Amino acid sequence: MQHGPATDWSKDKASSFKTRIGVWMFVLYAIIYAGFVIVNTFNPKIMGSDIGGSNLAILYGFGLIIFALMLAFVYNAICTAAEEELNGSEDDELEQEEVA
Amino acid sequence: MYETSSWAIGVFVAFVAFVLWISYHFARRTKTAKGYFAAGGNIHWSVNGIAFAGDYLSAASFLGICGMIATVGYDGFLYSIGYLAGWIVALFIVAEPMKRLGKFTFTDAVDAKFNSKGIQLAGAISTLVVSTFYLIPQMVGAGTLVTPLLGLSHWIGVTMVGTIVIIIVATAGMASTTYVQFLKGGLLIVFSIAIVIVTLYNGLTTQPKSSRDQVFQPLPTLAVTLDADGRPQPQDPAYTLLTTASPAKGMVFAKLTHGDAPSWWHLTKDDNGSDILAGTYWVTTLAQPVTDKNGQLVNTLYNNIPITESKPIQAGHIHKLKYQGQLVQSVPNVSIAEFLEVIKESTITRFLSKTVADGPDKVTVYYQHHTTGREILTPGIKFKVDSAKGATLMDKLNFVSLMMALFFGTAALPHILIRYYTVPTPAAARKSTIVAIAAIGLFYVLTLFMGLGAMVNGVVDLTDNNMSAPLLAKSFGITLFAIISAIAFATVLGTVSGLIVAASGAVAHDLMDRVFNMKLTDHRKVLAGKIAAIVVGCIAMVLGVLFKGMNVSYLVGWAFAVAASANLPAIIMILFWKGTTKYGVMSSILVGIVSSVGLILLSADMFERYGLARSSAPIAIDNPGIISIPLSFLVLVIVSLATRKEADSSDQESSSPPARVRRAVSKV
């Protein structure tokens, strides 16, 4: 039995571009996450520094969650724009299929 | 024991009935393998995104993380951060390629380029091992939840969850599982928001109510004088010192008697520096059981009362509440920022425990520890990372290893990966991941407030912190508790359903159809999947009973480490290194499984669980990720380089993979 994809879709000409963008965004986030882990590991006192009513630990932690969401939205906007530009009308058909 | 509530039972029964109706509804539509294993591949991305959240926010997230934050503060929140960060790997690296390459299972994707029996077998084994590790804590959690909710014993709870999940999966597979997860994910987030809003609205106080009828009672203190041997002698003549115990250097517990009632006390100092005995809670494990008022044999006592007649020991409150520079008794209606600021400036009473021998019996004493809010909101209470407080290099490596496993584990969990096949296109896979990040991120932010809310509201069950979030809800009223408990139960149902679908796919699709070449028709493959789901469900029930009492979060940590070691290196290298060979992939998956599981079994934590000395463990590190993940990558590269020529020639001889798969691989 064939074990390819369960559904069919048109050729995605934006695929390699999206992969490159994804890798760069992953590297960016991984660096910031690694920074968080390194500071927690080797200088945890800094994480207790006051910033306004809160501290660095809380703000960095929330920041990582919010930054992940922001990057996700930016990535989606870039990918969607690339799909529209490179795939054109094929993508519109796909969207219609999805909604259906 | 927890008191059961008919309202809670009613909500629970209604919820289960609705879930079973969903399964019945979708069963009529699920006739093909595509329908059973991938919900027809036509789930809308927004539904799939929330279903992702339902899949991912397991008992470990809702019960485990909230409980951990309630007892160790910020260190518990580190799990939330790590679990969420893992979705970045899923979105940027895995989401679209997984959809492009695979059909029903994780193995489909890693094998798409090679069509190798070895990879199919290794992938199926990996799926089954990771799913099993993840299933055990979910089933244990189910038993833990059902006990307070319905007043049933642990094994009945496990059996009940197993049976319901088997019905969900065996009737309509991924379709019903998806909608159960969607429902559960949505409800979990909505009602977590409700708990946080009520927590903030109620504000903070030094005199919390742990339930509507249970008002906080501060533990008493006794003035003492130390005798010539340094033993604390109460100044109140009504109390007599029976014995003392020293579970650690500089720590003294005293057993006093007041009339006939013995009690345990902790020698400490008051604000003026004078020696005092502070009251404690204690749990006695008797060498010889006693009979309770119903004639039942009991060997556990809570504060001298048989466990069957006692309420759970709930505690934790604000010791000194500081608001705008002033010590106050309460602060009503705080904002999110004020909540954190007030906790940071205040001092919280947490309870730590030590076990001492009392003749043939063992006594676990829960004593008060006043911790500053600043300590609670910074790392270091659970994870020993501060060298100034004696953290060793190994402690630091353990922490890094855990954070690494959380980051890389998410995108390698089989029950998460198969959800990419339920949407129609790679773009929909990406969008559903973004919805998942939004929903899961929001939930993890809420865990900090639910956990801290439980910590300061006198609701933490000292013997089992997993119930912190539901008990916080209970302190606000039985209705919220009933709904939250039903959702917590659904949390287990959703995740277990996803895991059983993944395991069922590994058996029916990967092993039977592909590895053993049984040439199943579409109909027979669905039948095989259903039978596999029933068998896996039964195994999960047995494991859930056998592992009763084992720490839920600990086992989930195993699953993440094993998944990150076994699956992720193969996925990433197939996508980004053309030199990857089938032998490299096979070796990487198997080495990842063996090294991660082996390191866990030989770790100091496990030796302690075996009843052996930690120092006798051959492996000093507790979380294997920092060794097993790089090792799995390394093995893949070395084996691929060593087998490059052989792989090239066998590739030419083997039948070509489908054209669409070749195109998909070449694009990435």
Side-chain angles (χ1 to χ4, degrees):
Chain A
M1 181 182 243
Q2 181 194 334
H3 58 277
T7 47
D8 275 331
W9 57 87
S10 307
K11 185 180 177 184
D12 184 4
K13 294 170 191 160
S15 175
S16 55
F17 171 75
K18 291 189 291 183
T19 302
R20 276 202 308 278
I21 291 289
V23 169
W24 280 112
M25 287 192 160
F26 165 75
V27 169
L28 173 65
Y29 193 85
I31 290 170
I32 295 172
Y33 181 80
F36 176 75
V37 175
I38 288 168
V39 174
N40 270 299
T41 310
F42 297 102
N43 205 341
K45 279 197 176 69
I46 287 183
M47 297 305 267
S49 309
D50 280 347
I51 298 179
S54 189
N55 65 18
L56 181 61
I58 296 289
L59 293 181
Y60 205 153
F62 280 169
L64 275 169
I65 293 175
I66 293 165
F67 187 53
L69 189 57
M70 281 170 52
L71 275 186
F73 283 132
V74 170
Y75 175 66
N76 187 52
I78 293 172
C79 289
T80 305
E83 284 162 355
E84 282 170 1
E85 188 182 326
L86 298 173
N87 298 334
S89 57
E90 289 172 16
D91 220 47
D92 297 337
E93 288 164 21
L94 280 179
E95 288 295 324
Q96 284 168 10
E97 280 173 31
E98 281 176 42
V99 173
Chain B
M1 295 288 283
Y2 295 100
E3 289 168 23
T4 55
S5 141
S6 51
W7 184 207
I9 293 170
V11 172
F12 169 80
V13 170
F15 191 88
V16 169
F18 186 62
V19 163
L20 293 177
W21 177 81
I22 288 176
S23 301
Y24 170 75
H25 176 74
F26 284 101
R28 287 175 295 169
R29 295 204 220 160
T30 311
K31 304 293 181 200
T32 62
K34 183 179 161 187
Y36 183 79
F37 292 109
N42 58 8
I43 300 287
H44 192 271
W45 54 264
S46 58
V47 173
N48 203 54
I50 299 296
F52 259 133
D55 238 339
Y56 195 65
L57 299 175
S58 68
S61 289
F62 181 54
L63 303 178
I65 291 182
C66 290
M68 208 180 286
I69 294 172
T71 48
V72 298
Y74 187 81
D75 282 352
F77 187 55
L78 286 169
Y79 275 89
S80 293
I81 295 165
Y83 282 138
L84 188 276
W87 280 90
I88 284 294
V89 187
L91 174 64
F92 293 147
I93 305 291
V94 172
E96 292 201 40
M98 276 301 290
K99 177 63 189 169
R100 275 197 289 270
L101 297 176
K103 186 176 184 183
F104 296 150
T105 63
F106 150 76
T107 309
D108 284 338
V110 287
D111 187 44
K113 185 179 169 186
F114 304 106
N115 201 15
S116 151
K117 295 271 182 223
I119 293 180
Q120 291 157 15
L121 181 62
I125 291 171
S126 171
T127 300
L128 290 171
V129 169
V130 176
S131 298
T132 305
F133 274 125
Y134 220 113
L135 270 172
I136 297 169
Q138 304 305 323
M139 298 304 277
V140 172
T144 307
L145 267 170
V146 164
T147 304
L149 184 65
L150 304 179
L152 301 172
S153 59
H154 180 92
W155 76 269
I156 296 177
V158 170
T159 309
M160 201 154 69
V161 169
T163 308
I164 296 169
V165 165
I166 286 172
I167 294 171
I168 293 170
V169 178
T171 49
M174 199 59 170
S176 53
T177 299
T178 295
Y179 284 96
V180 168
Q181 285 160 343
F182 171 77
L183 181 71
K184 162 241 170 161
L187 287 174
L188 182 62
I189 291 164
V190 168
F191 282 93
S192 295
I193 292 172
I195 292 181
V196 171
I197 289 173
V198 179
T199 302
L200 298 175
Y201 178 79
N202 282 359
L204 294 158
T205 173
T206 55
Q207 305 277 314
K209 291 190 295 183
S210 57
S211 68
R212 280 188 300 181
D213 55 351
Q214 191 176 339
V215 180
F216 169 77
Q217 291 285 337
L219 286 166
T221 57
L222 292 173
V224 293
T225 48
L226 300 184
D227 64 18
D229 297 325
R231 289 156 38 105
Q233 298 292 346
Q235 293 174 5
D236 183 342
Y239 288 88
T240 308
L241 177 67
L242 293 177
T243 184
T244 60
S246 181
K249 192 179 176 186
M251 176 178 278
V252 175
F253 291 145
K255 185 181 181 185
L256 308 183
T257 182
H258 182 252
D260 288 336
S263 53
W264 286 88
W265 300 72
H266 174 220
L267 179 61
T268 183
K269 291 186 185 297
D270 65 12
D271 291 344
N272 302 320
S274 304
D275 290 315
I276 56 164
L277 284 175
T280 68
Y281 299 109
W282 66 97
V283 174
T284 310
T285 307
L286 300 168
Q288 294 293 325
V290 293
T291 308
D292 70 6
K293 64 183 179 187
N294 297 321
Q296 189 180 341
L297 286 176
V298 178
N299 66 356
T300 305
L301 309 179
Y302 282 1
N303 304 323
N304 301 334
I305 301 170
I307 185 173
T308 47
E309 298 166 22
S310 169
K311 286 186 175 178
I313 305 173
Q314 289 179 251
H317 63 278
I318 298 180
H319 177 59
K320 288 181 180 172
L321 179 59
K322 204 169 181 182
Y323 180 61
Q324 296 181 340
Q326 303 289 319
L327 285 176
V328 295
Q329 292 296 310
S330 63
V331 182
N333 299 345
V334 287
S335 66
I336 284 174
E338 280 177 327
F339 181 84
L340 292 174
E341 186 174 2
V342 172
I343 289 202
K344 189 183 79 174
E345 298 303 328
S346 301
T347 306
I348 315 296
T349 300
R350 299 185 305 127
F351 282 77
L352 310 182
S353 69
K354 289 282 181 192
T355 300
V356 295
D358 183 23
D361 305 328
K362 282 185 179 174
V363 179
T364 302
V365 180
Y366 296 91
Y367 61 98
Q368 299 175 84
H369 184 275
H370 304 310
T371 312
T372 64
R374 287 175 182 277
E375 281 180 83
I376 284 167
L377 295 183
T378 48
I381 293 179
K382 176 178 171 62
F383 300 116
K384 303 301 171 202
V385 286
D386 193 346
S387 303
K389 293 179 181 171
T392 63
L393 179 63
M394 199 51 72
D395 292 328
K396 290 171 185 281
L397 284 179
N398 262 323
F399 173 71
V400 173
S401 190
L402 173 70
M403 296 306 282
M404 199 170 154
L406 298 184
F407 189 57
F408 289 115
T410 301
L413 293 170
H415 70 296
I416 296 297
L417 294 175
I418 60 170
R419 187 148 289 292
Y420 285 119
Y421 305 133
T422 60
V423 288
T425 63
R430 179 184 76 238
K431 288 175 185 173
S432 65
T433 311
I434 293 166
V435 173
I437 289 176
I440 294 167
L442 171 62
F443 175 80
Y444 281 139
V445 168
L446 299 173
T447 58
L448 183 66
F449 296 94
M450 288 191 284
L452 292 175
M455 176 186 267
V456 300
N457 275 300
V459 299
V460 179
D461 182 340
L462 299 184
T463 60
D464 183 4
N465 63 39
N466 284 323
M467 283 299 287
S468 297
L471 289 174
L472 176 64
K474 191 176 185 182
S475 73
F476 301 143
I478 201 70
T479 307
L480 195 52
F481 172 68
I483 295 169
I484 285 295
S485 296
I487 293 170
F489 189 77
T491 295
V492 178
L493 287 185
T495 307
V496 173
S497 306
L499 288 163
I500 290 184
V501 172
S504 147
V507 173
H509 178 65
D510 296 338
L511 288 178
M512 293 174 70
D513 191 31
R514 300 183 60 203
V515 176
F516 301 123
N517 213 13
M518 293 171 74
K519 303 287 182 198
L520 299 175
T521 61
D522 211 43
H523 174 71
R524 292 190 75 81
K525 190 187 264 190
V526 172
L527 184 65
K530 290 181 177 184
I531 293 169
I534 294 169
V535 173
V536 173
C538 291
I539 293 171
M541 284 192 262
V542 173
L543 291 173
V545 173
L546 289 178
F547 281 81
K548 179 190 173 188
M550 195 129 177
N551 184 284
V552 169
S553 299
Y554 191 85
L555 285 166
V556 169
W558 276 8
F560 268 75
V562 177
S565 309
N567 299 348
L568 198 73
I571 296 170
I572 288 182
M573 296 307 271
I574 285 169
L575 295 176
F576 296 103
W577 187 41
K578 287 180 180 167
T580 304
T581 68
K582 61 183 177 185
Y583 302 107
V585 172
M586 236 182 296
S587 314
S588 166
I589 293 175
L590 294 176
V591 167
I593 296 171
V594 172
S595 62
S596 55
V597 174
L599 286 167
I600 289 167
L601 295 177
L602 296 173
S603 68
D605 258 13
M606 281 308 296
F607 267 55
E608 198 172 23
R609 285 165 200 273
Y610 301 147
L612 303 170
R614 288 180 69 88
S615 55
S616 63
I619 308 290
I621 200 156
D622 287 325
N623 193 298
I626 201 166
I627 297 171
S628 54
I629 297 171
L631 180 67
S632 181
F633 271 109
L634 191 66
V635 165
L636 189 149
V637 172
I638 291 171
V639 174
S640 291
L641 289 174
T643 57
R644 189 70 202 135
K645 280 186 182 173
E646 193 184 338
D648 281 346
S649 57
S650 76
D651 280 353
Q652 285 168 6
E653 287 165 19
S654 67
S655 58
S656 298
R660 174 173 278 287
V661 174
R662 287 204 310 275
R663 199 171 68 222
V665 173
S666 69
K667 277 186 218 151
V668 296

